[in-house]
Amino acid sequence: ILIQACKMNLRPTIPANTPQSLVDLITICWAPERDSRIEASEVLQRLTKIEAEYRENTATWNALLPAAPAGK
């Protein structure tokens, strides 16, 4: 399944309410062309910035999460 997804350039749907900074990171990591993807060090830098963004807007980001199933 994974090989076929790559060959056909298929990717999972990113939920519409996903913060744009995460969408951007996911999208660039999924780039079909290897040269279009970023290095691991850049991924780490972006994740650090995304963490800071989350910490500054925790309530907003947490509101984007689906409700936990009852009893969990």
Side-chain angles (χ1 to χ4, degrees):
I1 293 174
L2 291 174
I3 292 171
Q4 290 302 318
C6 291
K7 286 182 178 181
M8 298 174 74
N9 197 29
L10 300 175
R11 303 292 187 265
T13 302
I14 299 171
N17 63 341
T18 303
Q20 191 59 48
S21 54
L22 281 175
V23 172
D24 294 344
L25 178 60
I26 292 166
T27 303
I28 200 164
C29 288
W30 282 350
E33 295 298 322
R34 181 177 172 176
D35 293 338
S36 298
R37 294 182 219 129
I38 58 178
E39 298 287 330
S41 59
E42 175 69 17
V43 172
L44 182 57
Q45 288 175 2
R46 288 185 184 213
L47 285 171
T48 300
K49 289 178 184 177
I50 291 168
E51 179 185 22
E53 182 182 331
Y54 166 75
R55 290 183 186 280
E56 292 172 6
N57 302 289
T58 303
T60 302
W61 279 52
N62 287 347
L64 300 173
L65 297 172
K72 296 268 176 173

